[in-house]
Amino acid sequence: MNLFVRLLRLGRFTLAAGAALLTPALAADYPTRTITMIVPFAAGGPTDVIARIVAQHMSTTLGQAIVIENVVGAGGTTATTRAARATPDGYTLITGHMGTHAAAVPLYPKLAYHPTKDFEPVSLLAGTPILILARSDFPAKDLREFVTYVKASGDKLNQAHAGVGSVSHVSCQLLKSVLDIKPTGVPFNGTGPAMNALVGKQVDFMCDQIVNAVPQINGGTIKAYAIATPDRNASQPDLPTTTEGGLPAFKAQAWNAIFAPKGTPAPIVATLNAAAVKALDDPGVRKRLLDLGSVIPEPAERTPEALGKLVEAEIAKWTPVLRDAAAN
Ligand code: MLT
């Protein structure tokens, strides 16, 4: 082990030990200043939108501002690495998701963090069904025609995503393997900008979380072919499921959740969890999330323990699916 690694490990140990010693004082006063919530994708995308809706309510409960910091790059793993290395004092958090805290593990052999070893789970915030979307003038009127068209198009079609390991990348990897298609992947710093490109017809199609798509579907600026969940979503009652559309093998739902760096004192995690749970029970927050198609977790799904188990299960689920998938 070289000196740098030894110093780094010593530094981590010192931070964690220091946090543990300070636990009573920290927990009693927390929070006394602004909290930073890192969002690992561009502003305006699904993770950003969910983080802002919930953080706004949490900041009222906690009596301190929660500032959103968008840190982009490498499918969300740049920001997640930064969050993993932050001081574990409750003042730096991250809204991660199915990509950053599960799918990235098999896709990045040199990932600089581990979702379970380097983070304290705080609370699940929202389930986000995946939709198959295309530019508004895409030449297919339903999912069956979409499948026929993309299969016949080879690499001529451009598929937008938010970087290797992002939800939009991983869910379309699954769609590509189900359909045996090889479109050309076009990475963006988040599906906020990817959606702008879809609306502007600069890309052909994408797989995206419903939260990012509802305003555009309602505005008629993109086409939506199907929702990849077993049931239809109340926010888009006319949108058929992939099963109804003849593609039952494609099912995907992502999730977004709050994490704190490993070593964050348990009382602080509990304070943050309580604030998140309170936000998810607030009628105004619920309406905003539900109007965007989110699935609000049940109380039993909102505990740190439940989120920890979800992350473990999701890593186990995605690892065999993605280990050999080509990064496109
Ligand atoms: C975003 O907020 O841009 C998304 O969560 C990106 C993604 O994972 O597809």
Side-chain angles (χ1 to χ4, degrees), residues 41-42 45-48 97 162 166-169 189-192 208-209 256:
F41 295 97
T47 304
D48 182 73
H97 68 8
S166 64
V167 166
S168 44
H169 169 259
N189 280 332
T191 52
D208 198 9
Q209 297 166 78
N256 288 262

